[in-house]
Amino acid sequence: MQKEKLRAIRKQKGYTQQQIADIIATDVSNYSRKESGDVRIFKDEWEKISRFLDLPMEEIYEDDEAKTIIHNPVFNDSPGSYATGSVTNFNGEVSLSIIKNLQEYIELLKDEVKKLKEGKK
């Protein structure tokens, strides 16, 4: 779900995605995915953004749809466990934090692969 209120207010106040990304300590491509609704904006990030924009969080906040799905046959690789290959329901801040970190790490890896490919040309 796109964050239309956030995007509109950010643009109205004249801020770039890079400036907001710096506030929540992420790269601009990850912030762009957050604003477009592909990556979740966490509560602490909403709070930092609202303070930066000098607005109550309620004026910019838009709920996330739960659409994070991980397909990984070895997600739980402890001895004797069997993963079904699809994990679709996570509860709790710890699990969400792990997912967020993994998504950011994947993006860093993708960027690194892209740079390496460009270097070979």
Side-chain angles (χ1 to χ4, degrees):
M1 179 174 157
Q2 288 193 357
K3 307 300 183 243
E4 294 298 335
K5 291 193 303 187
L6 174 58
R7 179 175 286 150
I9 290 171
R10 175 184 59 77
K11 288 181 177 182
Q12 176 187 19
K13 290 189 172 255
Y15 294 114
T16 64
Q17 287 186 336
Q18 180 65 60
Q19 289 171 299
I20 305 295
D22 291 342
I23 295 303
I24 61 172
T26 191
D27 60 81
V28 70
S29 64
N30 191 47
Y31 175 75
S32 176
R33 287 186 297 277
K34 287 176 180 285
E35 197 173 88
S36 67
D38 295 331
V39 176
R40 182 172 188 237
I41 301 175
F42 290 89
K43 183 180 179 193
D44 65 316
E45 293 171 330
W46 280 114
E47 291 168 352
K48 289 176 185 177
I49 294 168
S50 72
R51 281 194 302 271
F52 178 75
L53 295 174
D54 195 30
L55 292 169
M57 193 165 63
E58 297 76 30
E59 288 190 32
I60 60 170
Y61 178 78
E62 293 176 81
D63 205 7
D64 285 310
E65 293 177 6
K67 66 177 185 178
T68 302
I69 298 174
I70 297 176
H71 294 282
N72 185 347
V74 291
F75 185 80
N76 181 358
D77 60 353
S78 61
S81 69
Y82 178 76
T84 62
S86 178
V87 179
T88 56
N89 186 15
F90 285 93
N91 293 319
E93 288 298 316
V94 173
S95 295
L96 294 174
S97 176
I98 291 169
I99 292 170
K100 176 186 172 192
N101 287 337
L102 288 172
Q103 288 172 331
E104 290 174 351
Y105 184 64
I106 289 167
E107 290 308 315
L108 288 172
L109 291 173
K110 286 179 181 178
D111 290 343
E112 190 64 28
V113 168
K114 182 180 177 185
K115 288 176 189 175
L116 289 170
K117 286 181 179 179
E118 290 173 353
K120 288 183 179 182
K121 291 181 181 178

